[in-house]
Amino acid sequence: MNAVTPPAREAARIVASALRQDAKAHEAGNFEAIAARYDDVYAEVLPLCEDLPGMIATGFTFWDWWSDARNHAWQYYEGITREDWPRLARHVADAVEAGSPITDPVLMRHFERAARPGLVRRLRKLLGIGRGRRS
């Protein structure tokens, strides 16, 4: 996080703490706890930094993926098994709190894919079709 404000630092701490708590719950077999507090944490963080700086948004994205994986029998996240999620959560929590980049290669691939525009969006751009414009 560039020029980290005290509220943004507190928001990062809150998100990191929630990820670490869910990692413990996951390891204890309490899979339903994963992201159960997502909305509460989001509501707590939003007043601290309305536009969610990069790493804080990254923490929420990871948390969303984790609960999605749980909801779909740990599928759809190539290279990540059910047992990997707590370790990755701690990695993301550390990165969020420190304001440093994600360095785990598997997570880096997932975040790179997520950042790419979708096929329809790329085709629209290639064809010069703007959103909301009709031909």
Side-chain angles (χ1 to χ4, degrees), residues 11-28:
R13 188 199 60 73
I14 291 166
V15 172
S17 175
L19 289 170
R20 289 182 185 115
Q21 287 173 7
D22 282 6
K24 287 178 187 175
H26 182 123
E27 290 168 334

Side-chain angles (χ1 to χ4, degrees), residues 70-131:
R70 178 216 44 219
N71 292 341
H72 294 99
W74 309 105
Q75 299 177 36
Y76 308 122
Y77 294 87
E78 184 182 324
I80 305 175
T81 67
R82 181 177 74 182
E83 291 73 28
D84 292 327
W85 288 98
R87 174 185 58 80
L88 295 173
R90 288 184 180 95
H91 175 74
V92 171
D94 291 347
V96 166
E97 206 162 39
S100 61
I102 300 293
T103 58
D104 183 276
V106 172
L107 281 179
M108 288 171 64
R109 280 194 305 276
H110 283 281
F111 277 106
E112 286 169 6
R113 282 186 207 136
R116 286 188 219 140
L119 176 61
V120 172
R121 196 166 170 202
R122 290 193 314 261
L123 285 173
R124 284 177 171 270
K125 184 176 181 181
L126 181 65
L127 297 172
I129 300 171
R131 192 172 265 204

Side-chain angles (χ1 to χ4, degrees), residues 12-80:
R13 188 199 60 73
I14 291 166
V15 172
S17 175
L19 289 170
R20 289 182 185 115
Q21 287 173 7
D22 282 6
K24 287 178 187 175
H26 182 123
E27 290 168 334
N30 185 5
F31 303 123
E32 289 305 313
I34 299 164
R37 295 185 49 239
Y38 186 100
D39 290 337
D40 294 336
V41 171
Y42 187 80
E44 190 177 349
V45 164
L46 198 56
L48 296 172
C49 49
E50 194 171 307
D51 62 349
L52 295 184
M55 285 311 296
I56 294 170
T58 294
F60 279 109
T61 298
F62 172 83
W63 210 7
D64 185 51
W65 291 348
W66 189 7
S67 68
D68 183 60
R70 178 216 44 219
N71 292 341
H72 294 99
W74 309 105
Q75 299 177 36
Y76 308 122
Y77 294 87
E78 184 182 324
I80 305 175

